[in-house]
Amino acid sequence: MLIYPSRSTVHPVSNEVPEHPCVSPVSNQVFERRLIEKYIAENGTDPMNGQPLSEEQLIDIKVSHPIRPKAPSSTSIPAILKALQDEWDAVMLHSFTLRQQLQTTRQELSHALYQHDAACRVIARLTKEVTAAREALATLKPQAGLVVAQAVASQPHAGGAGEPMEVSEQVGMIPEIIQKLQDKATVLTTERKKRGKTVPEELVRTEDLSKYRQVATHAGLHSASVPGILSLDLCPSDTNKVLTGGADKNVVVFDKKEEQIIATLKGHTKKVTSVIYHPSQSVVFSASPDSTIRVWSVTGGNCVQVVRAHEASVTGLSLHATGDYLLSSSEDQYWAFSDIQTGRVLTKVTDEAAGCALTCAQFHPDGLIFGTGTADSQIKIWDLKERTNVANFPGHIGPVTSIAFSENGYYLATGAQDSSVKLWDLRKLKNFKTITLDNNYEVKSLVFDQSGTYLAVGGTDIRVYICKQWSEVLNFTEHTGVVTGVAFGEHAQFLTSTGMDRSLKFYSL
């Protein structure tokens, strides 16, 4: 109930003339002593202004013959109306206080529910990671005896002169490796989003690209007795350095600017079908139907590591963005993830339901997912951390021959023995464009430039398309054999290709 100031002879709380009046020095109001002492005992403040007040501060007032007024008639209409008004005021004030308290309680409840939901998500993620780690550990333990047997069995073959030890131990995807992959993917995703907003100024324009012509050809890199260059790659940090793999079992590093061979790397027992140049080290990688993956030192000119991840021909090779791990696919139906420093296989997975040979493999630019092609025309997308097949892209006819991810991270290009190139949107998981080529056209190589603006197709001839419009801007027919590899120079300043005619060609203005 509200307390209104009254005349000094009337008690402000009881609205009656006090019998034992006293004055509060804090508010200068007159009170009934018994009432004010009781109030001070409960609250310790002055009832008028809320200031601290003690009984010792009260000042008694001496009055003579106090006259108590007659009690108001409780049956009079004005008294009843006043009582009702006072009760209404009290109810309204109490209702207002309750509404304020309800609003505060709702806000606190909402915050508590949000914290509970966040905690549940964190617990679920941690539980999933613990389960995955336990599964990896359970998978690793039964293989311990087999690993030792394999290592012992491989020793007689690994003791040749100049040959490194072949390691076939599977270590498993330990949390440190998974965290390393995740951290790298986070950095790459951020950088790609920044780059994706603008096209590099140094990138060759479409009108200039359409004027490219053959400017050089080299036919002496590989043996003439076993003709054919089967694979091609450029050094990302210096695109003057060209890497090729041949049917003559050799890996060759060629300097475009000096026009001379830097190194010829020998060791494979069968043709070399896949080659990769390390982006920051003088190291290259090669794969072969002899079921091995080899790591070579360009400066030393020797093989520094042999990775035995498969039991059959290695059909695809891709280097992770960290530069520390290799992805490989094989006709043994497995894909493998290996450490290039130790040569150890970290994990090896197959789709038992499909039961089909893998024909190619390629990492997504972020490195957390990758794609594989199969001999039965399927394209499979895999989650590297979970080692599970997360998406499939049917539609081709015949074995898939090549796949390539765009640098923008959204597009996947695939080619197969059905004379077509299909473009897939990874966000919508569907085919949004099919480029139908000539009848009996063989698609052997697909590659996007570093900006994701152009797509080159190598096979029966060489064709370059501009992305988004997917219109053809170039067509080269200089090779006399099937084109097996195509690559863009930095900012598409030049284009290079290899073929079964044993030649390496360069195209530019």
Side-chain angles (χ1 to χ4, degrees):
M1 181 179 291
L2 291 175
I3 302 175
Y4 298 95
S6 306
R7 297 184 304 274
S8 60
T9 56
V10 178
H11 193 281
V13 177
S14 64
N15 285 328
E16 297 179 358
V17 176
E19 295 180 5
H20 302 286
C22 61
V23 175
S24 167
V26 175
S27 62
N28 296 325
Q29 290 287 334
V30 177
F31 298 98
E32 172 66 50
R33 174 169 280 279
R34 62 181 176 81
L35 291 179
I36 191 62
E37 286 179 349
K38 184 177 181 181
Y39 187 87
I40 291 173
E42 293 179 356
N43 300 283
T45 61
D46 189 293
M48 302 305 295
N49 56 18
Q51 295 296 322
L53 180 63
S54 63
E55 294 181 10
E56 291 76 11
Q57 291 178 276
L58 297 176
I59 303 172
D60 289 325
I61 300 176
K62 293 183 179 180
V63 294
S64 57
H65 309 293
I67 301 174
R68 295 177 59 83
K70 294 181 180 180
S73 174
S74 59
T75 58
S76 65
I77 292 177
I80 293 173
L81 291 176
K82 183 178 182 305
L84 291 175
Q85 183 65 50
D86 292 343
E87 288 297 328
W88 174 258
D89 290 345
V91 170
M92 288 300 101
L93 287 173
H94 185 62
S95 175
F96 175 72
T97 303
L98 289 178
R99 285 200 302 271
Q100 283 185 318
Q101 293 175 349
L102 176 62
Q103 181 65 21
T104 303
T105 304
R106 281 179 174 173
Q107 291 176 347
E108 292 175 351
L109 178 60
S110 176
H111 184 64
L113 290 174
Y114 176 79
Q115 288 181 321
H116 177 267
D117 185 55
C120 289
R121 288 199 300 270
V122 171
I123 292 171
R125 178 175 59 82
L126 293 176
T127 303
K128 187 176 181 181
E129 291 178 357
V130 169
T131 302
R134 286 176 176 170
E135 289 177 355
L137 183 61
T139 303
L140 181 61
K141 284 181 178 179
Q143 294 176 345
L146 179 61
V147 168
V148 174
Q150 289 177 341
V152 172
S154 65
Q155 283 179 3
H157 304 284
E163 287 288 313
M165 177 71 75
E166 296 173 351
V167 185
S168 58
E169 181 181 356
Q170 291 190 32
V171 178
M173 297 288 284
I174 60 177
E176 289 80 4
I177 294 177
I178 294 177
Q179 187 61 47
K180 184 177 180 180
L181 301 179
Q182 183 62 60
D183 293 344
K184 185 65 175 179
T186 302
V187 173
L188 291 174
T189 302
T190 304
E191 292 176 353
R192 190 181 71 241
K193 288 181 178 179
K194 291 180 181 178
R195 290 196 306 269
K197 297 178 181 178
T198 58
V199 176
E201 295 180 358
E202 302 87 350
L203 183 68
V204 173
R205 296 177 299 177
T206 306
E207 52 267 34
D208 293 331
L209 185 67
S210 63
K211 300 175 184 177
Y212 275 18
R213 297 293 179 267
Q214 179 181 312
V215 295
T217 182
H218 303 276
L221 276 65
H222 291 268
S223 172
S225 60
V226 188
I229 301 177
L230 306 178
S231 49
L232 168 70
D233 194 27
L234 297 180
C235 177
S237 58
D238 181 5
T239 52
N240 283 313
K241 294 179 180 178
V242 184
L243 179 66
T244 61
D248 61 354
K249 311 172 188 176
N250 294 340
V251 178
V252 172
V253 182
F254 180 79
D255 192 307
K256 168 181 176 288
K257 187 175 182 181
E258 300 296 331
E259 295 189 347
Q260 65 181 13
I261 294 175
I262 299 175
T264 299
L265 309 170
K266 300 182 179 182
H268 281 292
T269 57
K270 293 184 179 180
K271 60 186 179 181
V272 180
T273 52
S274 301
V275 291
I276 298 177
Y277 214 122
H278 195 284
S280 59
Q281 301 176 21
S282 186
V283 173
V284 298
F285 312 93
S286 62
S288 167
D290 65 8
S291 75
T292 65
I293 302 165
R294 290 180 177 259
V295 183
W296 308 85
S297 169
V298 176
T299 52
N302 64 310
C303 178
V304 296
Q305 198 70 256
V306 176
V307 182
R308 280 197 174 274
H310 301 284
E311 303 298 329
S313 297
V314 182
T315 56
L317 204 60
S318 183
L319 182 65
H320 190 268
T322 57
D324 297 329
Y325 308 103
L326 275 175
L327 168 71
S328 57
S329 61
S330 171
E331 290 182 358
D332 65 3
Q333 305 178 14
Y334 282 83
W335 61 260
F337 185 67
S338 308
D339 188 328
I340 66 172
Q341 300 296 328
T342 63
R344 291 180 175 176
V345 179
L346 301 179
T347 188
K348 187 176 175 181
V349 178
T350 184
D351 185 352
E352 296 179 354
C356 187
L358 302 183
T359 56
C360 51
Q362 184 69 43
F363 269 120
H364 183 272
D366 292 347
L368 291 183
I369 63 172
F370 62 90
T372 59
T374 68
D376 64 349
S377 74
Q378 295 290 314
I379 294 97
K380 297 180 178 292
I381 306 299
W382 298 80
D383 183 319
L384 178 58
K385 294 193 298 182
E386 301 296 332
R387 301 175 294 287
T388 55
N389 178 207
V390 294
N392 293 314
F393 294 147
H396 277 295
I397 300 173
V400 178
T401 55
S402 181
I403 62 177
F405 287 95
S406 173
E407 178 57 30
N408 65 17
Y410 303 139
Y411 298 150
L412 170 65
T414 61
Q417 291 182 9
D418 56 3
S419 303
S420 71
V421 174
K422 291 184 179 290
L423 284 306
W424 308 85
D425 191 321
L426 298 176
R427 295 164 295 184
K428 300 178 182 178
L429 300 178
K430 69 176 185 177
N431 171 225
F432 66 91
K433 178 69 178 179
T434 298
I435 301 174
T436 303
L437 304 170
D438 305 333
N439 289 337
N440 300 319
Y441 189 102
E442 296 182 59
V443 179
K444 295 294 185 182
S445 176
L446 292 172
V447 62
F448 287 91
D449 76 297
Q450 291 87 344
S451 68
T453 305
Y454 302 114
L455 170 66
V457 181
T460 305
D461 56 19
I462 301 170
R463 305 186 184 192
V464 178
Y465 297 85
I466 181 169
C467 300
K468 295 186 178 179
Q469 293 89 348
W470 307 111
S471 56
E472 184 178 309
V473 293
L474 271 180
N475 190 327
F476 295 122
T477 58
E478 281 78 3
H479 280 284
T480 57
V482 174
V483 178
T484 55
V486 186
F488 285 99
E490 186 178 12
H491 303 303
Q493 297 292 332
F494 68 89
L495 187 70
T496 183
S497 64
T498 54
M500 292 303 295
D501 58 2
R502 201 171 56 90
S503 67
L504 170 67
K505 298 182 183 294
F506 294 94
Y507 312 86
S508 64
L509 288 173

